[in-house]
Amino acid sequence: MFTQVELLPADPILGLIEAFNQDTNPSKIDLGVGVYRDALGNTPILKSVREAEALLLTRETTKKYIGSHGDPLFAKHLLPLVFGADSSVLEAKRATLTQAPGGTGALRLAADFLKRNSPNKTVWISNPTWPNHYAIFDSVGIQHKSYAYVDSETNRLDFPAMLTDLKQIPQGDVVLLHACCHNPTGFDLSLAQWQEVLAVLQERELLPLIDFAYQGFGEGLDKDAAAVRLLSEQLAEVMITSSCSKNFGLYRERIGAFIAVAKDATDMEKVRSQMASVARANYSNPPAHGSAIVATILASSDLDNLWRSEVDEMRNRINTLRQQFVAALAPYGLAEKFACVAEQRGMFSYSGLKPNEVAQLQKDFGIYMVKTGRMNIAGYNEQNLPYLCEAIASVCGKK
Ligand code: LMR
C-alpha cells in the first residue's frame, strides 16, 4: 500500500527549517517560519516563562488528564486577556474556551465543529493568507473561497476590494479574519475599517472566525484585541482562535484556545458540549505544560507585569527592525519600494519580492523566506542587516 502513496513536497513554511539547517553558507539568514529572534539570533525562553516553570516544578503534584476543555485556570485568565477584564461578553457568560494544542489546533477544532454542525457553509479566507488555513479546511472537507485583501500591483491593503467581496458572500457563510498582524502581509485594518466590516457581517449575517495568533505583536495587548472585542460585543455569534505560541514564546509547548461567543449562556453550553466531543475525537485531552505556564504567569501580578514588559520588548524590537530595514535600503534607491515594511505590523512583511527573487536570495545568498515574498522581520538582526540589504539590492538589480 505504501508504494502507491504519493510523495508530497515539503510544507511551504516548515519545509524551510530543514532547507536552512542543511545550508552550509556561513552568512545564511532564516526569514522563514514565524519565530521571534533576539539581537543574537536566538529564540530565548522568556524570563516570565522560566520563573513560572520553576514554580511549577515545586507545585505540580500530578500528571493526570486535565480534561477535554483543558485547564480551567488557563481559561479563567486567558478570557480576560482576550476580551478585556470588564468585558460585557464575559459578564453575560456568552463565551466558552476550549484549550487547544496551539493556534493550529484551535483552528482544527473550529473546522471540525463547522463540519459537524454546518457542513455546507463555505469559509471565506483573505487572499493571501497563512497557507495552513487552506490545509486545515481541506483536511476536514469544508469548502473555502477567497476574498480580496491586497492590491498585487501596489502591494498595499486593498480595503475597498475587500469590502466589495465581503458584501457578495452568501448569507450565513463563515469569514476568516486575522485580528491583527495579518499573516502573511502585515497589513492590518484600522478600527474604522473594522466598523465597516462589522456592518457587512451584520447585514449578511456572516459568522466570523477570528484568527488571533499575534496578540501583543502589533500595537499592544489591548489594542490588538480591538477587533475581537468589537465583533464579540456587537454580534450574536463569533469564533476566535487564540495562540500563546508567539506572545509567550511557547511555540513547542503547543498552547492555544478555541473560543466561541454565543448569543446567550444556553447556546454557549451547547457549543461547549460540541467542543468537548471534537477535542475528544482529535486528541482527547490537550497537553498541560503550556497552559500551566500561561495560567501561572497571568495569575501572578509580578509575573504578569514581567511578561507584559517582555511582550512590549519583542514588539518594539520588531518595529525598530522594520525602520532599520527601510533605512538600510535607502542607499540602494530602494527605500520607496520597500516603504511598506515600516508600515506593516506583526512578525511578517509581505515584501513584494517576486518568487524568482526569493529563489535567487536562497540560492546565491543563503537567505530563506516563504516563496510568496513573506519575510519574518524578527529573523534578521543589526549584524546581518547590511548583508541582507545588499543581497536584496542585488536581486532587484540595484547593485
Ligand atoms: C508561521 O506562519 O510561520 C507560523 O504561524 C508558524 C506556522 O505554523 O506556520
Side-chain angles (χ1 to χ4, degrees), residues 13-14 32-34 104 130 183 214 246 348 374:
I13 296 175
L14 298 185
V33 68
T104 303
W130 182 51
N183 181 1
Y214 294 87
K246 327 283 166 167
F348 304 115
R374 187 196 84 168

Side-chain angles (χ1 to χ4, degrees), residues 362-393:
Q362 184 169 326
K363 186 166 145 286
D364 297 348
F365 299 94
I367 295 170
Y368 288 73
M369 66 180 73
V370 183
K371 227 183 252 165
T372 54
R374 187 196 84 168
M375 304 191 304
N376 172 13
I377 295 293
Y380 58 83
N381 54 48
E382 291 75 359
Q383 279 72 48
N384 58 25
L385 182 61
Y387 174 73
L388 171 64
C389 291
E390 198 181 327
I392 289 177

Side-chain angles (χ1 to χ4, degrees), residues 101-213:
T104 303
L107 281 160
R108 179 59 190 245
L109 292 182
D112 278 338
F113 170 69
L114 285 171
K115 179 70 183 176
R116 285 186 184 198
N117 295 288
S118 223
N120 298 324
K121 278 193 197 302
T122 296
V123 177
W124 295 78
I125 305 180
S126 69
N127 178 25
T129 196
W130 182 51
N132 213 24
H133 282 149
Y134 304 125
I136 290 166
F137 292 106
D138 284 341
S139 293
V140 301
I142 289 256
Q143 182 171 213
H144 54 80
K145 290 187 181 158
S146 292
Y147 61 85
Y149 197 74
V150 159
D151 179 339
S152 54
E153 290 293 304
T154 59
N155 191 32
R156 286 291 191 285
L157 172 72
D158 192 345
F159 186 66
M162 175 187 182
L163 217 52
T164 305
D165 280 1
L166 291 184
K167 284 179 182 161
Q168 280 154 18
I169 296 179
Q171 199 171 15
D173 270 355
V174 177
V175 185
L176 198 159
L177 297 157
H178 300 228
C180 63
C181 309
H182 184 271
N183 181 1
T185 68
F187 292 121
D188 287 343
L189 305 188
S190 66
L191 196 54
Q193 289 170 326
W194 277 114
Q195 297 274 9
E196 291 189 60
V197 168
L198 169 65
V200 180
L201 296 175
Q202 283 170 323
E203 190 187 299
R204 305 205 57 75
E205 295 179 356
L206 302 173
L207 173 58
L209 166 57
I210 312 177
D211 188 345
F212 195 21

